[in-house]
Amino acid sequence: MNIDVREPRLLVTSDAHIGSLFCDARRGLIRFLEFARAHDFNVCINGDGIDVEYTTLRAFTAETSAFLRELRRLTSDMTVYYTVGNHDILLEHYVGDWGRLQLVPFLNVSSGSKRIRIEHGHLYDPSMMTDPNLYHGIRQVLCAMCRMYPPGYYWHEKYQRLRFRYVRRLLGHDLHALDSTATRDISPAFLEAAEELAKRGFDAVVFGHTHYAGELPINDNRARYLNTGSWFRDPHFVKIDNGEVTLMQVPAGLR
Amino acid sequence: MAERYLDERTYATGDVVFAEGAAGTEMFIVQEGAVALTRTVAGREIFIGAQERGDFFGEMSMFTGSPRHATCVAMVPTRLLAIRSGELLMKLRRDPTLALEMVAQMSRRMAYLETQLVKLVEHQLEARGQLGKVMARAEFFSDDPEP
């Protein structure tokens, strides 16, 4: 397991949730990987690439087997890093090098003169940190409910958004000063975690998990927090090109 | 945002971060720049290694309570994050992956030291072998009856 890598050109995306009942991103992600290969980039799928929670065995096997076949074909001439998230947490048991597919818990990338930390970010989710057993119990119930009534997932997301806005108001944060949903609608814990990581000498910290794409300066403007959102809607990716780090929308043709 | 419980320190080129033999209760993470670690052996300064962005050092004294084993000097303008033992626990609670990275870095250092040790032993054995040959030859000649 190599967590420190040098990658001049790397694209990072996250939260494709392949196999999920609510997201059909398999073809899109394959197109994205083919696009990266054609432009001489390696790729990091930053967690929740596949989804073992919001799924059924039938959907999971059908979607992931097709995806893994494609992945095997593509990794014949490009390296794909896969950082483990919470919806694919069972992959923690397989962490290691699988040829040119590298399964890692997180990644420290050196590119040009920059150091970039790539991590899914679920470790900093306050509900997961406070009581992991309760968190997983609630998730199981939610998954079962969403299987019976799929639109319930979007109500759940809306509830989370409102909850974090409420928490921020309680903390006295100025919601209007936070420029985008990427920073306004997520728990402050993620930005605090990104700050902590940036203090260790990173120029950029790339998370997924929250499903809200965006970026924000952190660590006294010495570093940046970036989030690639999710493939549920408006997927983004981070382009790392010889030290230049840019957050971009996945072009419509690739989705 | 995270409260400032960690100590950030800046050093100019050539500044001494700590000296060999001094007491040490904190470890450092290189935020920016680089430092060199040297040690004095038989009156000669030996270069042990350089630590760059993201690397950590000084943990041996913090964990064992022993004096600093080396002198640390900033090679370029450098900013360090100083972590005392009590703060390390708090840092690990806020930044749990640091523990894994520390283990990974320490494993790499250990592998490097083992390789160096094996080389040293090989070198010693080789030197001993050569010495043995020289001694055997000397013995052979000394056994020669004088004409």
Side-chain angles (χ1 to χ4, degrees):
Chain A
M1 175 179 69
N2 192 8
I3 49 175
D4 294 296
V5 295
R6 174 156 282 283
E7 280 291 344
R9 287 161 67 80
L10 184 75
L11 300 184
V12 187
T13 190
S14 68
D15 297 86
H17 291 270
I18 289 168
S20 156
L21 295 170
F22 318 108
C23 189
D24 183 20
R26 176 171 57 85
R27 287 178 186 84
L29 188 60
I30 294 296
R31 278 193 290 271
F32 178 77
L33 288 165
E34 277 168 346
F35 166 83
R37 189 177 63 164
H39 291 84
D40 205 18
F41 280 95
N42 286 328
V43 168
C44 175
I45 300 172
N46 190 16
D48 290 0
I50 59 172
D51 194 324
V52 297
E53 279 195 339
Y54 289 102
T55 190
T56 57
L57 188 60
R58 195 172 177 181
F60 179 77
T61 46
E63 285 292 299
T64 52
S65 58
F67 174 66
L68 291 175
R69 259 199 311 275
E70 290 292 318
L71 200 58
R72 196 173 58 183
R73 178 178 65 81
L74 287 161
T75 49
S76 62
D77 53 1
M78 74 187 287
T79 302
V80 175
Y81 301 96
Y82 191 113
T83 58
V84 179
N86 54 318
H87 282 252
D88 47 20
I89 203 154
L90 61 85
L91 293 178
E92 272 184 352
H93 298 285
Y94 303 97
V95 158
D97 298 350
W98 296 80
R100 295 191 74 175
L101 173 68
Q102 312 229 343
L103 213 52
V104 286
F106 54 85
L107 209 55
N108 297 335
V109 176
S110 298
S111 178
S113 61
K114 298 284 197 283
R115 288 186 78 233
I116 302 120
R117 169 58 164 247
I118 302 168
E119 190 175 350
H120 185 62
H122 60 293
L123 288 179
Y124 315 110
D125 192 320
S127 37
M128 196 166 175
M129 280 159 70
T130 323
D131 192 337
N133 290 332
L134 181 67
Y135 174 82
H136 286 295
I138 291 172
R139 305 274 307 187
Q140 291 297 320
V141 174
L142 274 170
C143 291
M145 284 165 67
C146 288
R147 269 184 216 123
M148 286 186 283
Y149 181 63
Y153 178 80
Y154 297 99
W155 288 105
H156 167 61
E157 263 207 335
K158 197 165 185 173
Y159 158 73
Q160 291 277 57
R161 203 158 60 226
L162 290 171
R163 187 165 71 98
F164 290 132
R165 283 191 189 189
Y166 180 67
V167 169
R168 283 191 172 278
R169 281 209 186 89
L170 281 181
L171 289 171
H173 292 181
D174 180 6
L175 291 183
H176 298 291
L178 296 166
D179 58 345
S180 69
T181 53
T183 51
R184 195 174 54 220
D185 296 342
I186 64 166
S187 163
F190 293 109
L191 295 177
E192 283 170 15
E195 288 263 353
E196 286 287 338
L197 288 166
K199 280 179 197 296
R200 287 209 261 128
F202 289 104
D203 297 288
V205 178
V206 182
F207 280 173
H209 185 66
T210 67
H211 289 197
Y212 293 107
E215 60 182 304
L216 194 76
I218 51 172
N219 196 22
D220 297 331
N221 280 324
R222 291 185 204 134
R224 282 154 70 206
Y225 159 84
L226 300 107
N227 197 302
T228 46
S230 86
W231 285 68
F232 275 89
R233 54 169 182 272
D234 198 18
H236 283 63
F237 66 98
V238 166
K239 184 174 109 180
I240 300 170
D241 193 354
N242 290 304
E244 206 175 302
V245 183
T246 325
L247 180 69
M248 301 170 95
Q249 234 174 357
V250 174
L254 294 181
R255 294 183 195 181
Chain B
M1 296 297 132
E3 66 205 66
R4 293 184 186 279
Y5 68 98
L6 298 170
D7 193 3
E8 283 181 15
R9 297 180 196 166
T10 50
Y11 297 88
T13 308
D15 280 359
V16 176
V17 179
F18 55 73
E20 189 178 340
T25 54
E26 53 199 6
M27 61 173 277
F28 299 88
I29 297 177
V30 184
Q31 278 194 334
E32 197 75 65
V35 295
L37 291 160
T38 59
R39 192 167 179 176
T40 310
V41 180
R44 284 174 61 191
E45 201 178 30
I46 310 283
F47 176 75
I48 296 175
Q51 303 293 339
E52 296 171 335
R53 280 187 85 184
D55 291 341
F56 67 86
F57 61 94
E59 77 290 347
M60 282 201 296
S61 292
M62 190 182 86
F63 285 124
T64 62
S66 60
R68 297 288 186 199
H69 289 254
T71 297
C72 176
V73 177
M75 294 164 78
V76 287
T78 297
R79 196 174 58 245
L80 302 176
L81 192 67
I83 307 174
R84 281 175 286 272
S85 50
E87 292 165 351
L88 180 65
L89 283 174
M90 188 184 272
K91 175 77 180 155
L92 288 176
R93 274 199 293 271
R94 288 162 175 255
D95 181 5
T97 55
L98 174 64
L100 192 64
E101 286 182 66
M102 282 177 73
V103 172
Q105 267 196 43
M106 282 167 145
S107 303
R108 278 199 293 269
R109 279 182 207 170
M110 205 119 98
Y112 173 75
L113 287 176
E114 269 178 21
T115 312
Q116 295 296 101
L117 187 68
V118 168
K119 271 186 193 166
L120 197 69
V121 170
E122 275 173 357
H123 183 73
Q124 233 173 8
L125 288 175
E126 201 178 307
R128 222 179 264 177
Q130 273 175 359
L131 187 69
K133 273 182 200 166
V134 170
M135 282 176 74
R137 195 176 294 171
E139 208 170 305
F140 173 76
F141 284 119
S142 68
D143 285 349
D144 271 356
E146 279 184 24

